[in-house]
Each structure stands twice: as structure tokens, then as C-alpha cells.
Amino acid sequence: MKISKEEEITTEALLDKIIKGIQDKKGKEILSLNIGKIENSICDYFVICHGTSSTHVDAIIDSIEQRVKKELNEKPYNKEGLDNLTWVLIDYASIIIHVFQKEYRDFYNLEDLWADATMDKYEDVQ
């Protein structure tokens, strides 16, 4: 389903495409944190997942970008962490995606830092 340029892309539509992009490459332990109602939050959602290696993290990032571009015609505003692929941040303004390698996800533990956010867990694809 392509959305025409005249239609406004909703945050929920963007979130759906991001989650599907992660699942396409079997990203692990996918979470979305609704932080939009938290005072001074910088976006509406954080999406957090991890890959099993730098190659896996890179594949997840590519999958997200390709799906969002193809289906919503959107590109990220910014990306960081592509040099070492241990923690990559993709910024779509209303949604910021964090793709980690497992040990870095465990170390930074963003889920606990934003514990007051509403959290949704998504099924891992086998």
C-alpha cells in the first residue's frame, strides 16, 4: 500500500512499517515505547531491537529504510552509529529507532531508563 504525497503519513503507519522492516530481517526483542506523553520527550516513539552481529544490525537498518521508503516514500532525517554498528540510531522525527547488538542493548538498558513509557512488545519472527 503506497500513500500518495497528498496524504499525511501518520505516526502509526510509520511505526507499522518500521516494525515490519525489523521483523523482515528477524530483529530480536522488538519494543516500542510510547514516550510522546512524557514531559520534554523528543519524539512520540522509541523503537528498540537488537541483532546478533554487526552484519545483522546492518541488514535490519537496510530493511527498515527500504520498507519505509517503498511504502511511505519517507527517508530518515538522520542516522548515527554506522561506523561500528554496535548501536545505530535512525531518526524519523516522530519515531527514533535504536538497533543494538545484544551486549550493548543490555549495557545501556534504554527500556529501564524510559520505564514510565507505555511499552508494546512485538513477536520475534523465526
Side-chain angles (χ1 to χ4, degrees), residues 9 14 65 68-77 92:
I9 298 169
L14 179 59
E65 288 186 77
V68 171
K69 177 68 175 150
K70 179 181 176 186
E71 297 187 24
L72 300 176
N73 200 29
E74 275 296 311
K75 291 192 239 179
Y77 291 95
Y92 280 99

Side-chain angles (χ1 to χ4, degrees), residues 14-73:
L14 179 59
L15 179 62
D16 178 64
K17 303 308 176 203
I18 289 167
I19 298 303
K20 287 179 179 170
I22 295 168
Q23 289 174 328
D24 286 346
K25 294 299 177 184
K26 299 181 178 160
K28 305 292 184 191
E29 298 178 30
I30 306 165
L31 300 174
S32 67
L33 304 176
N34 185 340
I35 62 171
K37 292 184 172 52
I38 297 174
E39 189 175 342
N40 298 322
S41 64
I42 58 173
C43 62
D44 294 330
Y45 289 92
F46 275 170
V47 174
I48 303 169
C49 71
H50 68 269
T52 57
S53 66
S54 58
T55 304
H56 191 200
V57 167
D58 195 36
I60 293 167
I61 295 159
D62 286 345
S63 179
I64 293 166
E65 288 186 77
Q66 287 175 10
R67 185 175 278 269
V68 171
K69 177 68 175 150
K70 179 181 176 186
E71 297 187 24
L72 300 176
N73 200 29

Side-chain angles (χ1 to χ4, degrees), residues 28-29 49-50 101-107 109 111:
K28 305 292 184 191
E29 298 178 30
C49 71
H50 68 269
Q101 288 187 39
K102 175 81 168 119
E103 59 271 18
Y104 289 87
R105 182 179 185 172
D106 292 344
F107 179 80
N109 201 7
E111 295 94 322

